């Protein structure tokens, strides 16, 4: 569909939500489908929504009650729903000939509200909102690493905090798999194969939300967390090995003492 979805509008509100681990997009039957790849459907009285299988949804021009109703409609299709979804909002100025950012904080400019442009905006907003959640998760683990590093510097003491950290690291290391395997944060959307004229708009949006830089920063943090995990596991393994060696030495000494005692009694 190439026509405008919001004819006559000069501004449009968009809201992205990361609502769960996945959405069964293929099973969605609740509204009129406008476009595929990603799925764009009508929502509310005059709005629309774009659904992504990796758990994000982007809503355009929905009133608060309409948003609640639409998310309730999606609920049976959400796997691993989050109690507090990450959210991001933006105001879209419609009709800008150059599609440059207007002098309005938090606003973006689009030439029109055709389905391909809204799908492209939704793609970038969805990736931005999942990056925001992953950034928060990684930051929480970094806050745990600091006291652990201090313990290591103070004599190699890792204790119970290390085990707690390793449990958290198991979850955080899944972030990279989700970003690359599911969301493809740094990949161009398939939409651009059919609409190459939107390449410049996509590049501008990616730069606006710093997707590449944020993804790179997350990769570096994940790498540091991984190295920390390896260090902690190595220390724990070394301590266990040392403990076993001491047990063996003690057993040998006990056996020697018992042998000497037996020889003394026999003599």
């Amino acid at each position: 569909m190439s026509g405008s979805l919001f004819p006559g509008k000069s501004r449009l509100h968009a809201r992205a939500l990361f609502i769960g681990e996945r959405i069964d997009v293929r099973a969605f039957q609740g509204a009129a489908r406008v476009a595929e790849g990603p799925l764009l459907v009508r929502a509310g009285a005059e709005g629309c929504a774009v659904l992504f299988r990796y758990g994000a949804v982007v809503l355009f021009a929905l009133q608060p009650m309409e948003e609640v109703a639409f998310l309730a409609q999606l609920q049976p299709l959400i796997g691993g729903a989050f109690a507090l979804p990450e959210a991001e909002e933006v105001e879209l100025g419609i009709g800008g000939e150059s599609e440059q950012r207007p002098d309005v904080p938090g606003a973006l400019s689009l030439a029109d509200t055709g389905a391909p442009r809204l799908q492209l905006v939704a793609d970038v907003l969805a990736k931005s909102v999942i990056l925001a959640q992953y950034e928060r998760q990684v930051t929480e683990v970094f806050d745990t690493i600091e006291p652990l590093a201090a313990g290591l510097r103070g004599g190699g003491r890792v204790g119970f905090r290390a085990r707690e950290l390793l449990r958290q690291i198991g979850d955080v290391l899944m972030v990279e798999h989700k970003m690359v395997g599911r969301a493809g944060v740094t990949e161009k959307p398939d939409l651009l194969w059919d609409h190459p004229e939107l390449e410049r708009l996509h590049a501008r949006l990616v730069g606006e939300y710093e997707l590449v830089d944020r993804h790179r920063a997350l990769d570096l943090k994940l790498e540091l967390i991984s190295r920390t995990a390896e260090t902690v596991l190595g220390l724990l393994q070394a301590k266990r090995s040392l403990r076993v060696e001491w047990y063996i030495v003690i057993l040998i000494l006990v056996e020697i003492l018992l042998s000497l005692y037996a020889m003394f009694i026999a003599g």
Side-chain angles (χ1 to χ4, degrees), residues 161-171 229 232-233 236:
R161 287 184 178 177
R163 294 171 179 82
E164 180 183 350
L165 174 64
L166 293 176
R167 285 195 296 270
Q168 296 180 28
I169 286 173
D171 294 331
V232 171
L233 285 171
L236 290 175

Side-chain angles (χ1 to χ4, degrees), residues 19-24 55 74-82:
I19 56 179
E21 294 289 344
R22 60 192 175 278
I23 299 175
D24 189 357
L74 279 183
Q75 194 63 38
L77 307 179
I78 302 172
F82 300 136

Side-chain angles (χ1 to χ4, degrees), residues 37-194:
L39 178 61
L40 172 61
V41 301
R42 283 293 185 181
E46 300 179 345
C48 64
V50 182
L51 310 180
F52 297 88
R53 60 182 177 80
Y54 50 78
V57 58
V58 181
L59 311 172
F60 294 96
L62 261 66
Q63 299 299 319
M65 292 304 297
E66 292 176 334
E67 178 181 315
V68 171
F70 184 78
L71 293 178
Q73 187 179 5
L74 279 183
Q75 194 63 38
L77 307 179
I78 302 172
F82 300 136
L84 296 173
E86 196 76 35
E88 192 161 342
E89 307 183 43
V90 67
E91 290 293 328
L92 301 171
I94 311 302
E97 295 182 359
S98 63
E99 289 193 324
Q100 295 300 309
R101 186 178 179 92
D103 296 329
V104 179
L108 293 170
S109 180
L110 294 179
D112 59 62
T113 57
R117 276 184 168 77
L118 293 185
Q119 288 173 296
L120 195 62
V121 170
D123 180 85
V124 173
L125 284 176
K127 290 173 179 176
S128 179
V129 80
I130 68 171
L131 275 174
Q133 174 149 325
Y134 295 155
E135 286 164 346
R136 178 170 52 79
Q137 290 177 355
V138 170
T139 298
E140 289 174 358
V141 175
F142 258 67
D143 291 340
T144 311
I145 285 178
E146 186 176 357
L148 176 65
L152 293 174
R153 186 178 61 183
R157 298 183 301 275
V158 290
F160 72 93
R161 287 184 178 177
R163 294 171 179 82
E164 180 183 350
L165 174 64
L166 293 176
R167 285 195 296 270
Q168 296 180 28
I169 286 173
D171 294 331
V172 173
L173 291 181
M174 288 296 293
V175 168
E176 189 168 11
H177 165 71
K178 293 174 183 177
M179 287 193 303
V180 176
R182 295 185 186 177
V185 171
T186 57
E187 297 176 2
K188 289 185 178 181
D190 293 339
L191 177 70
L192 292 179
W193 288 101
D194 298 323

